[in-house]
Amino acid sequence: MTGLLQVGLVIGVLVAGLAANQILSKLAVEPQIRTSGASSVTARVVQPEISDTRIRLFETGTVQVRNSIELSPQVSGRVVWVSPALVAGGTFRRGEVLFRLDNADYRAGIDRSHADLAARQADLQVERAEAEIARREWDLVSPGKPVPANVAREAQLARAEAAVRSAQTALADAERNLSRVAFSLPFDGRVQTTAVEVGQNLLAGHSYGRAYQQGRIEVSVPVNALMLEALAPATGREAIVRPRKLLLSQVDLAYAAMVKQADAELDPKTRLARLTLEFTGPVPLLPGDFVDVEITGPIIQGTYRIPEGAMQENRTVWVVAGGRLAQRRPQPVFVEDGVISVLPFDTADGIVVSLLNDPREGDLVVPVGDVRVDGGRP
């Protein structure tokens, strides 16, 4: 009984092995055959058709601020009030006061300037009166003769008038400084960082945070030299910017943009250049957001589209010429979805699109099957 069981097991294993072998044979990729005597290979060959290729760049970009403004007061003083909008991420309107400084010293400065102006104006009145007296006395002594400048006290009058103008300027400066204790910005914006707190002493000209104007954001997109050349001229190209979705239930959003400028040189470390995109309208994006960018490039007319797998590591392809393998080095212009668009070249009898094992120039080729341009079977 045990012997019969063992025989049954062996037969079962053999049957299972044969079945598995048949299944694997059906699933296996058609092999390349190199016969030792004839030195020939079987390979899939395709003859590409000429078509037009639209260059498109699909890349990840980063939202950034075009320009940031320093939160830098024009006068010094102690902070007595801070707006609720003056927090990181807070928004504010044009002219809205973000913080106020103690104005006591500046009000006292205005009072001093008023007093000084009054004194200078009084001095000018005195000089004018004395000059008038001097002219009358001169007319009594020397009637009909012009009054000399020293007698008319012209120098003293000029000095008194200059003193009045200086006092008026000082008063205007004091009033302007008083108005500057209320800090605001001339645009609608958003606060990036702030270090302003009530009770803090601020110094004029020092930075205590940063803000940027609403709508003045752009997208920075890295590109390699080949794509930069393919898009040339990149400036002015239309683009679509799509925010990354955090939830599958979120609605797909897309914003129109345009390439504003392209770097003139590659980064020495990354060997990449950067394209800067500006939006054509307001967008609810924040600096630092990652976005998906699609840039529409030019149309390249008269290109061949070949499977990406047909391109060797040395950027060459194998073709069949007179039944034998020959190498070609096409010029690629675009790669998308596993298909390479290249400028037309001599494809002879067709391009080899199957994987070759140790191919050699001049090997005999036995074409097998037929494939589409994208590498699949029809």
Side-chain angles (χ1 to χ4, degrees), residues 41-370:
V41 295
T42 60
R44 298 176 188 168
V45 179
V46 63
Q47 188 64 263
E49 296 180 355
I50 292 181
S51 61
D52 295 339
T53 298
R54 165 72 77 175
I55 303 297
R56 283 188 175 87
L57 169 66
F58 298 92
E59 190 55 82
T60 298
T62 305
V63 178
Q64 62 185 22
V65 177
R66 186 178 307 172
N67 288 303
S68 293
I69 302 298
E70 302 284 349
L71 302 182
S72 177
Q74 294 177 285
V75 294
S76 302
R78 182 173 57 86
V79 179
V80 295
W81 179 82
V82 175
S83 168
L86 190 57
V87 294
T91 59
F92 56 88
R93 306 293 294 177
R94 175 180 181 179
E96 179 182 347
V97 177
L98 297 178
F99 62 85
R100 283 193 178 91
L101 304 178
D102 187 359
N103 62 10
D105 292 341
Y106 297 101
R107 287 190 176 279
I110 288 179
D111 292 340
R112 287 193 298 270
S113 296
H114 275 297
D116 184 59
L117 176 59
R120 300 307 176 198
Q121 290 174 333
D123 291 343
L124 178 59
Q125 293 299 324
V126 170
E127 286 295 339
R128 286 174 176 171
E130 291 182 355
E132 181 63 25
I133 292 172
R135 281 194 295 270
R136 290 179 180 179
E137 291 178 348
W138 174 265
D139 289 339
L140 292 175
V141 175
S142 304
K145 292 184 179 181
V147 181
N150 60 335
V151 175
R153 301 181 64 84
E154 292 182 0
Q156 290 86 341
L157 280 171
R159 183 169 59 248
E161 290 171 350
V164 170
R165 289 194 297 272
S166 177
Q168 289 172 336
T169 301
L171 176 58
D173 288 342
E175 291 174 341
R176 187 162 46 249
N177 287 337
L178 177 61
S179 69
R180 288 171 174 171
V181 300
F183 182 88
S184 63
L185 292 172
F187 53 78
D188 297 344
R190 183 184 294 269
V191 179
Q192 290 176 279
T193 62
T194 177
V196 178
E197 296 290 347
V198 173
Q200 184 179 8
N201 286 314
L202 306 186
L203 298 178
H206 287 235
S207 175
Y208 296 94
R210 299 182 68 85
Y212 66 91
Q213 185 173 352
Q214 292 276 39
R216 293 297 182 92
I217 59 175
E218 55 194 22
V219 178
S220 177
V221 183
V223 294
N224 57 38
L226 180 62
M227 180 54 69
L228 187 62
E229 182 180 357
L231 290 174
T235 303
R237 296 286 181 192
E238 295 180 350
I240 298 295
V241 177
R242 295 181 175 86
R244 293 284 181 86
K245 293 199 305 181
L246 299 179
L247 300 174
L248 293 177
S249 59
Q250 285 182 298
V251 178
D252 289 327
L253 299 175
Y255 304 104
M258 183 173 294
V259 179
K260 182 178 70 172
Q261 67 182 40
D263 286 352
E265 59 183 8
L266 301 180
D267 184 282
K269 295 181 179 179
T270 64
R271 309 307 301 167
L272 296 175
R274 287 196 171 272
L275 300 179
T276 301
L277 280 58
E278 63 179 0
F279 293 98
T280 58
V283 296
L285 299 177
L286 296 177
D289 280 344
F290 290 113
V291 291
D292 294 322
V293 176
E294 177 185 345
I295 300 176
T296 303
I299 295 178
I300 306 299
Q301 296 182 338
T303 62
Y304 286 159
R305 291 166 57 83
I306 63 176
E308 190 173 5
M311 185 74 73
Q312 308 299 308
E313 292 183 359
N314 58 358
R315 297 170 70 101
T316 62
V317 296
W318 290 105
V319 301
V320 179
R324 295 181 179 274
L325 282 181
Q327 274 193 322
R328 299 286 190 269
R329 189 180 295 275
Q331 181 179 346
V333 295
F334 189 54
V335 180
E336 182 181 12
D337 296 334
V339 177
I340 301 179
S341 297
V342 300
L343 296 181
F345 66 101
D346 179 15
T347 60
D349 301 325
I351 301 172
V352 177
V353 296
S354 57
L355 181 64
L356 300 180
N357 182 23
D358 189 24
R360 300 169 188 170
E361 190 96 16
D363 279 354
L364 292 172
V365 179
V366 179
V368 59
D370 188 17

